[in-house]
Amino acid sequence: MPRRRATPSSRKPFDVTALWALKRIGTPTVAPDGSAACAAVTSWDVARDEESTALWLFPTGEAVDSHGKAPRARPLTSGDKDTDPAWSPDGRWIAFTAKRKDDQDAQLYVISPAGGEAQRVGSAAGGVTAIKWFADGRRIAFVAWVWPDLRGDAAQKKRLAERKASKVKASVTERGEYRYWDHWLADGREPHVFACDVASGRCTDLLAGTGLALQPWEPSAEHYDLAPDARELALTIDPAAEPGMMNRCDIVVVDLRRRRVRNLTSRSGMSDEHPRYSPDGRWIAFHAYDTARAFNDQGRLRLYARRTATAVTLAPRFDRASTELRWAPDSSAVMALVEDRGRIGVWRYPVAGGAPTSIVPGGAVAGFASSSDGRTLVFARSTARHPAALFACDGDGGGERPIETLNQSVMDRHALGEVREITVKGFRGEPVQMVVTFPPGFDARRKWPLLQSIHGGPHSAHHDGWHFRWNNQVFAGQGYVVAQVNYHGSSGFGQRFIESITGHYGEREMADIEAGTDHLLRRGYIDRARLTAAGGSYGGYLVAWMNGHTRRYRAYVCHAGCYDWVSMMATDGYRFFARELGAFPWVDEARVLRQSPHHYVGHARTPTLVVHGELDYRVPATQALQYYNTLKAKGVAARLVWFPDENHWILKQANARLWHAEFFAWLARHAPRR
């Protein structure tokens, strides 16, 4: 019998249980002939609180067999940690990383697209990441962390085992930046690029003896590339004696036969990153950031001509940031993800010049890949009403079609809220984008509680996309009208808008958020006695700031929020402060205090739920303790939710369920649904 679809009236609002029932689909890789795509698919076993990730194959066309049936998506692997697939240039293999059997860390595997057993073809002490095929299909490059004073994987494994077995776990360093996000960088290892011969399994450190390393801030496959003739390696390096997140970067190339190194951009005056060779070998595309002028420069796309050693800027008047550079197979254009007014799509930059054009519109495209002939493009895209799904289209963007429906049954069982985009007059009357998600069954004749959901960054944005931690459909399903304001400083609206808050944190962003609240109050369906706001990271900073500047909100949720810019010197990114705030505290204390929520906490009266993870090095966990303790000392209602095993984000399923339960219980206590 055909499966019955739930009628709109019988569907439950989308909730946390549904959120964790969804499969999470990764960035696709495409067969050279474009016939199929492969992507990692992650599922959660709720009872065991464990995730598993396997590779799936997805036919990209609509061809039917002799029985009139179209090919269906199917799992390719059955491992529980199989990720980052990459199709070989000849189409025979799919490389991926996996942690199987006796693997201590993720290692390098290949499998035939036809199926069968996966084979481990390479390994490295500490694990393998960021894989990329050489054009000849005989070798696979990857990134692994090594002690540069040791030679050979056996020596690396020996020292790693000794460190793990040692009873002394102290970190000792003289580096200025010694930890990142949730891990320390004080053991002397650095990320190198390796090459693995698929036939023999022999792995070679391509940077051994060069004195080079990738930046230590989670290097990815975007930070290096391989020339089409396999003779040269290009990579992003920090030329300073000691790595730093504020340092200017360069693009260097390594002759893989002679191990000679050339710095291509040392005189550019820019911070240059993300090299990408054109298929014909004539060009290297990369990003150039004018960090000498502005630490938050959104960057420009540039082309380096290998024959003449000159560089030009593509689309110099295009005032938007790009990421994930990919070349058209005929080398006529660079394709990239571009963020524009709350949406992320695939754009095409012609090498011959002219304005870039959108070929795959947003929602929010999270990754894309092209077939070797350029005729088939596959991408993962989400919207505010649907999690990431895979689509295929022609190389020019035409003929778009979905190629998987793994989450359709879950989505069909739940009612979703309507999403509307609104422009409001924010700080000094300037236009600001606001997106509003309404509860299912919304009736404008009733009064509803408001939740201002405030993004972090600050140089990020609310997108027309699906969020697995701050999900507006889950929030709206609880009966809240959810507002998202892309306040001054948000990305996707041009460089001037990004820089507008530098040295003036708090004031303009709050004015924009308040303008959004005022707009909705004027519409008549928001109950002014049930206004709430929540934010994480810089969004947490803003709700702490608002607590010292307004009393009209009934409850706040401050997740991993920056509270005291002086004690935030404990963050992994403390060197940004002089550029963000305009000064370090010992240079201009008054200026720093003017932008710090703790300076205004004497006026705070609003009940606040404070949430933090112990392993958060971006916003140190003591920020939460300071804020919570201060509210308690003042007699302001406050509740602390502390996760000893989470970082800046709450990632574990059981922890996330508790996070949501505490979140909604706090809002309901102070701004109850009726």
Side-chain angles (χ1 to χ4, degrees):
M1 295 180 63
R3 177 171 58 87
R4 290 184 178 180
R5 300 186 68 172
T7 61
S9 60
S10 66
R11 294 175 185 172
K12 300 187 301 181
F14 200 83
D15 58 15
V16 178
T17 298
L19 188 69
W20 284 94
L22 295 172
K23 299 183 186 300
R24 307 185 185 192
I25 300 173
T27 297
T29 182
V30 182
D33 65 3
S35 62
C38 178
V41 177
T42 299
S43 304
W44 277 88
D45 184 323
V46 174
R48 298 170 60 189
D49 193 19
E50 292 180 355
E51 67 174 293
S52 62
T53 303
L55 304 185
W56 281 63
L57 281 182
F58 304 93
T60 60
E62 300 177 358
V64 296
D65 60 20
S66 58
H67 301 286
K69 295 183 178 180
R72 293 183 177 180
R74 62 180 174 86
L76 179 63
T77 68
S78 56
D80 61 357
K81 296 184 185 299
D82 301 343
T83 59
D84 300 325
W87 220 300
S88 65
D90 60 10
R92 295 178 56 201
W93 303 102
I94 296 173
F96 63 101
T97 63
K99 186 178 178 181
R100 296 186 170 189
K101 297 179 181 177
D102 298 327
D103 295 335
Q104 297 298 310
D105 300 282
Q107 303 298 344
L108 182 61
Y109 286 78
V110 297
I111 190 171
S112 167
E117 290 295 322
Q119 308 169 38
R120 194 176 81 172
V121 296
S123 65
V128 168
T129 63
I131 64 176
K132 187 174 290 191
W133 284 90
F134 282 78
D136 60 13
R138 298 177 180 177
R139 290 179 293 168
I140 303 170
F142 63 84
V143 173
W145 288 74
V146 300
W147 282 282
D149 61 312
L150 299 180
R151 291 292 180 268
D153 198 52
Q156 300 287 340
K157 289 180 179 178
K158 182 174 182 292
R159 182 175 290 180
L160 190 62
E162 292 171 348
R163 294 290 180 95
K164 289 182 178 180
S166 175
K167 295 184 181 299
V168 177
K169 303 300 181 184
S171 294
V172 180
T173 187
E174 294 187 15
R175 286 174 55 164
E177 293 174 16
Y178 46 86
R179 61 182 192 171
Y180 180 76
W181 196 252
D182 61 1
H183 55 276
W184 281 69
L185 300 170
D187 66 357
R189 287 190 295 170
E190 57 188 29
H192 282 199
V193 180
F194 283 72
C196 175
D197 182 84
V198 174
S200 68
R202 182 172 179 266
C203 297
T204 305
D205 184 348
L206 301 180
L207 299 184
T210 64
L212 298 175
L214 295 172
Q215 298 166 284
W217 330 115
E218 295 186 353
S220 70
E222 302 300 312
H223 291 94
Y224 78 92
D225 201 25
L226 305 157
D229 61 7
R231 295 179 180 179
E232 190 175 88
L233 167 70
L235 59 155
T236 305
I237 63 122
D238 183 342
E242 180 182 297
M245 281 185 272
M246 287 289 288
N247 291 354
R248 182 180 61 80
C249 299
D250 286 332
I251 304 294
V252 301
V253 294
V254 181
D255 184 316
L256 294 180
R257 293 181 179 179
R258 300 178 177 85
R259 294 298 176 96
R260 292 179 180 174
V261 177
R262 289 186 297 126
N263 190 321
L264 304 185
T265 63
S266 60
R267 299 180 180 179
S268 71
M270 304 283 186
S271 187
D272 302 307
E273 305 182 36
H274 315 135
R276 197 79 171 182
Y277 287 93
S278 61
D280 62 11
R282 294 178 57 196
W283 308 94
I284 298 176
F286 63 97
H287 286 120
Y289 302 91
D290 190 359
T291 55
R293 189 196 61 80
F295 80 95
N296 49 15
D297 184 73
Q298 65 184 352
R300 298 289 185 182
L301 180 55
R302 305 206 79 201
L303 287 184
Y304 177 86
R306 298 176 71 196
R307 181 175 299 176
T308 62
T310 57
V312 296
T313 300
L314 283 181
R317 296 183 179 180
F318 187 57
D319 190 18
R320 293 293 185 268
S322 62
T323 58
E324 296 201 23
L325 306 182
R326 306 285 185 268
W327 279 90
D330 63 0
S331 300
S332 64
V334 179
M335 295 184 292
L337 296 183
V338 171
E339 181 183 10
D340 180 37
R341 296 189 57 80
R343 292 171 175 81
I344 302 173
V346 182
W347 290 60
R348 186 179 188 274
Y349 293 72
V351 169
T357 56
S358 171
I359 58 175
V360 174
V365 177
F368 69 102
S370 174
S371 61
S372 295
D373 60 11
R375 295 181 178 179
T376 304
L377 193 67
V378 176
F379 54 95
R381 182 177 61 200
S382 68
T383 70
R385 290 173 54 86
H386 202 285
L390 288 183
F391 298 83
C393 65
D394 301 336
D396 61 1
E400 181 181 309
R401 54 201 179 272
I403 61 172
E404 62 81 20
T405 57
L406 295 181
N407 288 316
Q408 197 60 52
S409 62
V410 175
M411 300 304 293
D412 283 348
R413 293 196 296 269
H414 293 87
L416 300 178
E418 180 187 356
V419 181
R420 301 177 192 169
E421 181 179 331
I422 301 168
T423 299
V424 299
K425 293 182 178 180
F427 178 76
R428 292 181 178 173
E430 297 173 5
V432 171
Q433 182 189 61
M434 179 172 67
V435 177
V436 182
T437 304
F438 294 89
F442 173 77
D443 183 348
R445 295 169 296 182
R446 291 176 51 193
K447 292 288 188 179
W448 299 82
L450 172 69
L451 172 62
Q452 280 282 3
S453 179
I454 305 173
H455 75 70
H459 308 305
S460 60
H462 293 296
H463 297 128
D464 178 16
W466 190 265
H467 207 296
F468 277 98
R469 296 186 307 279
W470 291 73
N471 188 278
N472 288 329
Q473 292 294 342
V474 173
F475 295 164
Q478 291 287 316
Y480 292 89
V481 173
V482 184
Q484 298 172 291
V485 178
N486 279 326
Y487 51 75
H488 280 75
S490 299
S491 55
F493 299 86
Q495 185 64 39
R496 182 178 178 183
F497 198 74
I498 288 175
E499 289 184 43
S500 63
I501 64 171
T502 300
H504 303 280
Y505 279 7
E507 178 186 0
R508 300 181 184 191
E509 306 93 295
M510 180 177 168
D512 295 339
I513 295 165
E514 289 287 72
T517 297
D518 290 338
H519 173 90
L520 293 172
L521 286 170
R522 288 194 297 269
R523 302 297 293 174
Y525 46 71
I526 296 298
D527 185 348
R528 66 178 58 254
R530 292 185 290 160
L531 306 180
T532 68
S537 193
Y538 194 83
Y541 160 84
L542 284 173
V543 295
W545 175 274
M546 291 164 67
N547 204 352
H549 289 82
T550 179
R551 297 183 184 178
R552 70 170 174 170
Y553 293 85
R554 294 306 172 96
Y556 292 124
V557 178
C558 178
H559 172 98
C562 312
Y563 168 65
D564 177 355
W565 284 125
V566 178
S567 60
M568 270 287 288
M569 287 295 294
T571 180
D572 61 353
Y574 66 90
R575 284 176 168 161
F576 282 90
F577 291 166
R579 304 288 295 276
E580 291 179 303
L581 305 175
F584 281 120
W586 58 89
V587 175
D588 191 342
E589 184 179 31
R591 183 168 191 175
V592 173
L593 291 179
R594 283 197 299 270
Q595 300 171 75
S596 185
H598 87 284
H599 188 57
Y600 305 95
V601 75
H603 302 290
R605 298 289 186 274
T606 304
T608 300
L609 177 68
V610 181
V611 187
H612 222 107
E614 176 73 35
L615 303 179
D616 187 353
Y617 300 159
R618 180 55 45 91
V619 179
T622 51
Q623 293 288 299
L625 299 183
Q626 285 179 255
Y627 190 28
Y628 177 76
N629 291 354
T630 302
L631 293 175
K632 282 296 186 181
K634 282 175 48 60
V636 178
R639 184 176 177 89
L640 178 67
V641 181
W642 192 264
F643 294 98
D645 54 345
E646 298 282 12
N647 56 29
H648 200 52
W649 300 331
I650 308 304
L651 300 175
K652 298 178 180 179
Q653 182 265 154
N655 287 344
R657 284 178 174 270
L658 174 64
W659 186 94
H660 281 89
E662 291 285 344
F663 188 105
F664 293 131
W666 187 257
L667 297 186
R669 184 196 302 185
H670 298 282
R673 294 169 293 166
R674 295 171 184 168

